[in-house]
Amino acid sequence: MRAARLIKMVLLLQSRPSMTAAELARELEVSERTVTRDAQALSEAGVPVYADRGRSGGYRLIGGYRTRLTGLARSEAEALFLSGLPGALREMGLDDAASAARLKVSAALLPSLRDASDTAAQRFHLDAPGWYQEPETPELLPAIAEAVWDDRMITGRYRRRQGSEAERELAPYGLVLKAGVWYLCARTDGDFRVYRIDRFTAVAVSEEHFARDEGFVLPEFWEERAADFARSILRAEVVVRLSEAGVRQLPYAMDRAAAHEALDAAGPPDEQGRVTATLLVESPEVAHGQLLPLGPEVEVLEPGELRDRFAETARRMRELYA
């Protein structure tokens, strides 16, 4: 623990002209008194750490000292490729590895390039969750992430949609963060499946490693499964008439692919300039919520019960605003 902290302290001082005790304490997550003791220990070990006294003082390395301890550990190298995803790294428990990797890379760079990481961080930031959502980190995510990185089997209890639980032995291949929700892509009984991390109620990571299928490509697998899932839930049809404005707004009100597919298959506009289209939707109830924001730009023709529901909604709104 202390050895790793001492190395990190040297790398920090190597990557910057000087640092105050308060800055080092904040970076190392220790007290300023511990920083003083660590600096003395480094000095006694032959590392030329010099302390400047006074209000503007701090610690610095003298004599152009350069450490050779800049080689990346495997976990650090892997985490470095995810360094643009600070939230995801933190949730997977990899923020320490990424921090160490960035320090080592910074220490190996020329002095004129050492601010490259800060420059990039000020110009790009990824915020994965959708708007109006409070992201929650699944409690078991770090354990599952560790198994994914190490190619180790896991046994997990998984809560199905009906509420019942089942125990499964899984080979965890990869993690996906989609709109603030974490998913596990895993192989079980020879098939690849997708599991929501927040539905795991218990996970045991095995010491047994699994042989990874070299033909598995996570982005391709996810894209295919996501498209299949989006289409699988569209089990009902709704026939609508859309104004020109309704045609433009439809892809923003419902599944974009389904909207474009329906509009592409629609005939030419009628004498009122309206287009009749058949939409694939999850259910009439869901369609009501999706199409209602279009207001008078959409008219539901079928099924009859959905048209009646829109008529009732229109009547109630008329009474409300009369």
Side-chain angles (χ1 to χ4, degrees):
M1 180 76 177
R2 191 190 185 198
R5 190 176 70 242
L6 292 174
I7 292 173
K8 187 173 182 178
M9 184 174 179
V10 173
L11 292 173
L12 282 168
L13 294 174
Q14 185 172 307
S15 63
R16 307 178 195 182
S18 69
M19 296 183 69
T20 66
E23 290 172 334
L24 283 168
R26 186 169 56 252
E27 291 282 354
L28 299 172
E29 298 180 350
V30 295
S31 67
E32 292 187 30
R33 182 173 297 180
T34 299
V35 168
T36 301
R37 289 198 297 265
D38 285 352
Q40 183 177 354
L42 287 171
S43 181
E44 292 173 355
V47 178
V49 178
Y50 182 79
D52 290 315
R53 305 297 179 185
R55 178 178 297 180
S56 59
Y59 293 92
R60 60 187 174 89
L61 295 174
I62 61 175
Y65 180 84
R66 305 282 296 177
T67 177
R68 297 179 181 273
L69 298 174
T70 53
L72 292 177
R74 182 174 183 85
S75 62
E76 295 168 350
E78 291 169 338
L80 188 61
F81 285 99
L82 295 172
S83 58
L85 309 172
L89 280 168
R90 184 172 54 254
E91 292 178 8
M92 289 189 291
L94 295 173
D95 47 342
D96 286 342
S99 175
R102 286 192 296 269
L103 275 174
K104 290 183 178 181
V105 170
S106 179
L109 292 174
L110 293 172
S112 60
L113 298 177
R114 286 179 191 162
D115 66 343
S117 61
D118 293 333
T119 302
Q122 292 300 324
R123 287 162 173 78
F124 176 78
H125 175 70
L126 176 64
D127 186 8
W131 289 105
Y132 315 118
Q133 295 180 7
E134 189 66 33
E136 295 184 4
T137 303
E139 182 180 350
L140 298 173
L141 175 60
I144 296 175
E146 180 183 356
V148 170
W149 284 113
D150 294 343
D151 292 343
R152 285 194 284 168
M153 299 291 296
I154 64 173
T155 300
R157 291 196 60 80
Y158 190 76
R159 186 178 66 254
R160 293 179 287 204
R161 288 186 180 179
Q162 311 90 295
S164 61
E165 291 189 1
E167 187 169 282
R168 293 186 171 93
E169 187 177 32
L170 305 170
Y173 268 63
L175 293 168
V176 174
L177 178 59
K178 170 72 171 179
V181 179
W182 284 96
Y183 296 89
L184 172 67
C185 301
R187 186 180 64 194
T188 179
D189 298 327
D191 294 327
F192 287 99
R193 299 179 184 176
V194 176
Y195 303 89
R196 278 185 62 137
I197 300 293
D198 57 8
R199 288 189 183 158
F200 282 98
T201 58
V203 168
V205 180
S206 170
E207 294 298 323
E208 177 189 355
H209 292 263
F210 64 88
R212 196 170 265 272
D213 182 350
E214 297 301 329
F216 178 85
V217 181
L218 181 59
E220 294 178 3
F221 170 79
W222 176 258
E223 183 178 2
E224 179 182 341
R225 286 303 173 92
D228 289 345
F229 173 76
R231 182 163 292 278
S232 70
I233 63 174
L234 304 179
R235 302 188 180 96
E237 285 189 353
V238 172
V239 181
V240 297
R241 289 178 72 233
L242 298 155
S243 68
E244 184 177 344
V247 169
R248 292 195 304 269
Q249 296 171 22
L250 186 65
Y252 301 98
M254 57 176 297
D255 181 80
R256 187 178 295 267
H260 284 300
E261 185 176 317
L263 293 174
D264 290 342
D270 58 21
E271 62 277 5
Q272 294 179 329
R274 289 184 170 255
V275 172
T276 300
T278 301
L279 305 174
L280 286 175
V281 296
E282 186 173 346
S283 68
E285 292 76 16
V286 172
H288 180 265
Q290 291 174 327
L291 297 175
L292 191 59
L294 273 62
E297 309 304 332
V298 60
E299 177 190 1
V300 174
L301 302 179
E302 297 178 13
E305 61 268 24
L306 182 57
R307 181 180 175 87
D308 293 342
R309 184 171 179 182
F310 268 89
E312 174 63 14
T313 301
R315 183 190 63 79
R316 292 174 59 195
M317 290 187 68
R318 179 181 176 85
E319 291 178 355
L320 184 63
Y321 288 97

Short mmCIF file of all heavy atoms in Angstrom, two decimals, residues 18-55:
data_model
loop_
_atom_site.label_atom_id
_atom_site.label_comp_id
_atom_site.label_asym_id
_atom_site.label_seq_id
_atom_site.Cartn_x
_atom_site.Cartn_y
_atom_site.Cartn_z
N SER A 18 6.32 21.45 -9.59
CA SER A 18 6.29 21.32 -8.13
C SER A 18 4.84 21.17 -7.68
O SER A 18 3.92 21.52 -8.42
CB SER A 18 6.93 22.54 -7.46
OG SER A 18 6.13 23.69 -7.65
N MET A 19 4.66 20.68 -6.45
CA MET A 19 3.33 20.51 -5.88
C MET A 19 3.39 20.83 -4.40
O MET A 19 4.36 20.48 -3.71
CB MET A 19 2.81 19.07 -6.08
CG MET A 19 2.60 18.67 -7.52
SD MET A 19 1.91 16.99 -7.66
CE MET A 19 0.26 17.25 -7.00
N THR A 20 2.34 21.47 -3.91
CA THR A 20 2.27 21.76 -2.48
C THR A 20 1.90 20.50 -1.72
O THR A 20 1.41 19.52 -2.30
CB THR A 20 1.24 22.86 -2.18
OG1 THR A 20 -0.07 22.35 -2.51
CG2 THR A 20 1.51 24.11 -3.00
N ALA A 21 2.09 20.55 -0.41
CA ALA A 21 1.72 19.40 0.43
C ALA A 21 0.22 19.15 0.34
O ALA A 21 -0.23 18.00 0.32
CB ALA A 21 2.15 19.65 1.87
N ALA A 22 -0.56 20.24 0.27
CA ALA A 22 -2.01 20.08 0.19
C ALA A 22 -2.42 19.41 -1.12
O ALA A 22 -3.32 18.55 -1.14
CB ALA A 22 -2.69 21.45 0.30
N GLU A 23 -1.76 19.79 -2.23
CA GLU A 23 -2.08 19.17 -3.52
C GLU A 23 -1.72 17.70 -3.53
O GLU A 23 -2.49 16.86 -4.01
CB GLU A 23 -1.32 19.90 -4.64
CG GLU A 23 -1.84 21.31 -4.91
CD GLU A 23 -0.96 22.07 -5.88
OE1 GLU A 23 0.26 21.76 -5.97
OE2 GLU A 23 -1.47 22.98 -6.54
N LEU A 24 -0.56 17.37 -2.97
CA LEU A 24 -0.15 15.95 -2.91
C LEU A 24 -1.08 15.16 -2.00
O LEU A 24 -1.46 14.02 -2.32
CB LEU A 24 1.30 15.86 -2.41
CG LEU A 24 2.38 16.20 -3.42
CD1 LEU A 24 3.73 16.35 -2.72
CD2 LEU A 24 2.47 15.13 -4.51
N ALA A 25 -1.47 15.75 -0.88
CA ALA A 25 -2.38 15.06 0.03
C ALA A 25 -3.70 14.77 -0.65
O ALA A 25 -4.28 13.69 -0.46
CB ALA A 25 -2.59 15.91 1.29
N ARG A 26 -4.19 15.72 -1.44
CA ARG A 26 -5.46 15.52 -2.14
C ARG A 26 -5.33 14.42 -3.19
O ARG A 26 -6.21 13.57 -3.32
CB ARG A 26 -5.90 16.83 -2.78
CG ARG A 26 -7.29 16.76 -3.42
CD ARG A 26 -7.80 18.14 -3.80
NE ARG A 26 -6.90 18.85 -4.69
CZ ARG A 26 -6.15 19.90 -4.32
NH1 ARG A 26 -6.18 20.32 -3.05
NH2 ARG A 26 -5.37 20.51 -5.20
N GLU A 27 -4.26 14.43 -3.95
CA GLU A 27 -4.07 13.42 -5.00
C GLU A 27 -3.86 12.02 -4.41
O GLU A 27 -4.34 11.03 -4.96
CB GLU A 27 -2.87 13.79 -5.87
CG GLU A 27 -3.06 15.01 -6.74
CD GLU A 27 -3.88 14.71 -7.98
OE1 GLU A 27 -4.21 13.53 -8.21
OE2 GLU A 27 -4.21 15.65 -8.72
N LEU A 28 -3.13 11.96 -3.30
CA LEU A 28 -2.79 10.66 -2.70
C LEU A 28 -3.83 10.20 -1.68
O LEU A 28 -3.74 9.08 -1.17
CB LEU A 28 -1.42 10.75 -2.03
CG LEU A 28 -0.24 11.09 -2.96
CD1 LEU A 28 1.02 11.34 -2.14
CD2 LEU A 28 -0.01 9.98 -3.97
N GLU A 29 -4.79 11.09 -1.36
CA GLU A 29 -5.85 10.78 -0.40
C GLU A 29 -5.28 10.43 0.97
O GLU A 29 -5.67 9.42 1.60
CB GLU A 29 -6.75 9.65 -0.93
CG GLU A 29 -7.46 10.02 -2.23
CD GLU A 29 -8.35 8.89 -2.76
OE1 GLU A 29 -8.25 7.78 -2.22
OE2 GLU A 29 -9.13 9.16 -3.68
N VAL A 30 -4.32 11.27 1.43
CA VAL A 30 -3.73 11.11 2.76
C VAL A 30 -3.65 12.49 3.40
O VAL A 30 -4.01 13.50 2.80
CB VAL A 30 -2.31 10.48 2.68
CG1 VAL A 30 -2.38 9.05 2.15
CG2 VAL A 30 -1.39 11.33 1.80
N SER A 31 -3.14 12.54 4.61
CA SER A 31 -2.97 13.82 5.30
C SER A 31 -1.67 14.48 4.86
O SER A 31 -0.77 13.84 4.31
CB SER A 31 -2.96 13.61 6.81
OG SER A 31 -1.80 12.87 7.18
N GLU A 32 -1.55 15.79 5.13
CA GLU A 32 -0.31 16.50 4.79
C GLU A 32 0.86 15.98 5.63
O GLU A 32 2.01 15.99 5.17
CB GLU A 32 -0.51 18.01 4.99
CG GLU A 32 -1.48 18.63 4.01
CD GLU A 32 -1.54 20.14 4.12
OE1 GLU A 32 -0.51 20.75 4.50
OE2 GLU A 32 -2.61 20.72 3.86
N ARG A 33 0.57 15.55 6.84
CA ARG A 33 1.63 14.98 7.68
C ARG A 33 2.17 13.70 7.05
O ARG A 33 3.39 13.47 7.06
CB ARG A 33 1.08 14.69 9.08
CG ARG A 33 2.12 14.14 10.05
CD ARG A 33 1.56 14.03 11.44
NE ARG A 33 1.21 15.36 11.97
CZ ARG A 33 0.70 15.54 13.18
NH1 ARG A 33 0.46 14.50 13.98
NH2 ARG A 33 0.41 16.76 13.60
N THR A 34 1.30 12.88 6.47
CA THR A 34 1.76 11.67 5.78
C THR A 34 2.59 12.03 4.57
O THR A 34 3.59 11.36 4.26
CB THR A 34 0.55 10.81 5.36
OG1 THR A 34 -0.19 10.43 6.51
CG2 THR A 34 1.00 9.56 4.61
N VAL A 35 2.21 13.09 3.85
CA VAL A 35 3.01 13.55 2.70
C VAL A 35 4.42 13.91 3.16
O VAL A 35 5.41 13.55 2.50
CB VAL A 35 2.33 14.76 2.03
CG1 VAL A 35 3.28 15.43 1.03
CG2 VAL A 35 1.05 14.33 1.33
N THR A 36 4.54 14.61 4.28
CA THR A 36 5.86 14.99 4.81
C THR A 36 6.69 13.76 5.12
O THR A 36 7.88 13.68 4.77
CB THR A 36 5.69 15.85 6.08
OG1 THR A 36 4.93 17.02 5.75
CG2 THR A 36 7.04 16.27 6.63
N ARG A 37 6.08 12.76 5.76
CA ARG A 37 6.81 11.53 6.09
C ARG A 37 7.22 10.79 4.84
O ARG A 37 8.34 10.26 4.74
CB ARG A 37 5.95 10.64 7.00
CG ARG A 37 5.80 11.18 8.42
CD ARG A 37 5.34 10.06 9.35
NE ARG A 37 4.03 9.55 8.96
CZ ARG A 37 2.88 9.96 9.48
NH1 ARG A 37 2.88 10.90 10.42
NH2 ARG A 37 1.74 9.45 9.09
N ASP A 38 6.32 10.73 3.85
CA ASP A 38 6.65 10.02 2.61
C ASP A 38 7.77 10.72 1.86
O ASP A 38 8.66 10.06 1.28
CB ASP A 38 5.41 9.94 1.72
CG ASP A 38 4.40 8.93 2.22
OD1 ASP A 38 4.72 8.18 3.16
OD2 ASP A 38 3.28 8.87 1.66
N ALA A 39 7.77 12.05 1.85
CA ALA A 39 8.84 12.79 1.17
C ALA A 39 10.19 12.51 1.84
O ALA A 39 11.22 12.35 1.17
CB ALA A 39 8.53 14.29 1.18
N GLN A 40 10.17 12.44 3.16
CA GLN A 40 11.41 12.14 3.88
C GLN A 40 11.89 10.72 3.58
O GLN A 40 13.09 10.49 3.39
CB GLN A 40 11.19 12.31 5.39
CG GLN A 40 12.44 12.09 6.23
CD GLN A 40 12.21 12.34 7.71
OE1 GLN A 40 11.13 12.80 8.09
NE2 GLN A 40 13.21 12.05 8.52
N ALA A 41 10.94 9.78 3.50
CA ALA A 41 11.31 8.39 3.18
C ALA A 41 11.91 8.30 1.79
O ALA A 41 12.89 7.57 1.56
CB ALA A 41 10.08 7.50 3.29
N LEU A 42 11.36 9.01 0.83
CA LEU A 42 11.90 9.01 -0.53
C LEU A 42 13.30 9.60 -0.55
O LEU A 42 14.20 9.09 -1.23
CB LEU A 42 10.97 9.78 -1.47
CG LEU A 42 9.65 9.11 -1.83
CD1 LEU A 42 8.74 10.08 -2.58
CD2 LEU A 42 9.90 7.87 -2.70
N SER A 43 13.48 10.69 0.18
CA SER A 43 14.79 11.33 0.24
C SER A 43 15.83 10.39 0.82
O SER A 43 16.96 10.29 0.32
CB SER A 43 14.70 12.62 1.06
OG SER A 43 15.96 13.26 1.09
N GLU A 44 15.47 9.69 1.89
CA GLU A 44 16.38 8.74 2.52
C GLU A 44 16.69 7.56 1.60
O GLU A 44 17.76 6.94 1.69
CB GLU A 44 15.78 8.23 3.83
CG GLU A 44 15.70 9.30 4.91
CD GLU A 44 14.95 8.83 6.14
OE1 GLU A 44 14.41 7.69 6.09
OE2 GLU A 44 14.90 9.58 7.13
N ALA A 45 15.76 7.25 0.66
CA ALA A 45 15.97 6.16 -0.28
C ALA A 45 16.76 6.60 -1.51
O ALA A 45 16.99 5.79 -2.41
CB ALA A 45 14.62 5.58 -0.71
N GLY A 46 17.14 7.89 -1.58
CA GLY A 46 17.96 8.36 -2.69
C GLY A 46 17.20 9.10 -3.77
O GLY A 46 17.79 9.52 -4.78
N VAL A 47 15.90 9.28 -3.58
CA VAL A 47 15.12 10.06 -4.55
C VAL A 47 15.24 11.53 -4.15
O VAL A 47 14.83 11.90 -3.04
CB VAL A 47 13.64 9.62 -4.56
CG1 VAL A 47 12.84 10.47 -5.55
CG2 VAL A 47 13.54 8.15 -4.93
N PRO A 48 15.75 12.38 -5.02
CA PRO A 48 16.02 13.78 -4.64
C PRO A 48 14.77 14.65 -4.56
O PRO A 48 14.52 15.51 -5.42
CB PRO A 48 16.97 14.27 -5.74
CG PRO A 48 16.58 13.46 -6.93
CD PRO A 48 16.18 12.11 -6.40
N VAL A 49 13.96 14.43 -3.53
CA VAL A 49 12.79 15.26 -3.29
C VAL A 49 13.22 16.46 -2.46
O VAL A 49 13.80 16.30 -1.38
CB VAL A 49 11.69 14.47 -2.54
CG1 VAL A 49 10.49 15.36 -2.26
CG2 VAL A 49 11.27 13.26 -3.35
N TYR A 50 12.94 17.65 -2.98
CA TYR A 50 13.35 18.87 -2.29
C TYR A 50 12.10 19.64 -1.85
O TYR A 50 11.15 19.78 -2.62
CB TYR A 50 14.19 19.74 -3.22
CG TYR A 50 14.69 21.01 -2.57
CD1 TYR A 50 15.79 20.99 -1.70
CD2 TYR A 50 14.06 22.21 -2.81
CE1 TYR A 50 16.25 22.15 -1.10
CE2 TYR A 50 14.51 23.39 -2.21
CZ TYR A 50 15.60 23.35 -1.35
OH TYR A 50 16.05 24.50 -0.75
N ALA A 51 12.13 20.13 -0.61
CA ALA A 51 10.99 20.88 -0.08
C ALA A 51 11.33 22.36 -0.04
O ALA A 51 12.30 22.76 0.63
CB ALA A 51 10.64 20.38 1.32
N ASP A 52 10.54 23.17 -0.76
CA ASP A 52 10.68 24.62 -0.70
C ASP A 52 9.81 25.14 0.44
O ASP A 52 8.61 24.84 0.49
CB ASP A 52 10.22 25.25 -2.02
CG ASP A 52 11.20 24.95 -3.15
OD1 ASP A 52 12.40 25.08 -2.93
OD2 ASP A 52 10.72 24.57 -4.24
N ARG A 53 10.39 25.92 1.32
CA ARG A 53 9.65 26.44 2.46
C ARG A 53 8.88 27.70 2.07
O ARG A 53 9.12 28.31 1.05
CB ARG A 53 10.62 26.76 3.61
CG ARG A 53 11.50 25.58 4.01
CD ARG A 53 10.68 24.43 4.55
NE ARG A 53 11.52 23.29 4.92
CZ ARG A 53 11.06 22.13 5.32
NH1 ARG A 53 9.74 21.96 5.41
NH2 ARG A 53 11.88 21.15 5.61
N GLY A 54 7.95 28.11 2.93
CA GLY A 54 7.23 29.35 2.72
C GLY A 54 5.85 29.14 2.15
O GLY A 54 5.45 28.03 1.80
N ARG A 55 5.11 30.26 2.05
CA ARG A 55 3.72 30.20 1.59
C ARG A 55 3.60 29.63 0.20
O ARG A 55 2.68 28.89 -0.12
CB ARG A 55 3.10 31.60 1.65
CG ARG A 55 1.67 31.65 1.17
CD ARG A 55 1.09 33.05 1.30
NE ARG A 55 1.03 33.46 2.70
CZ ARG A 55 0.57 34.66 3.09
NH1 ARG A 55 0.15 35.53 2.20
NH2 ARG A 55 0.53 34.96 4.38
#
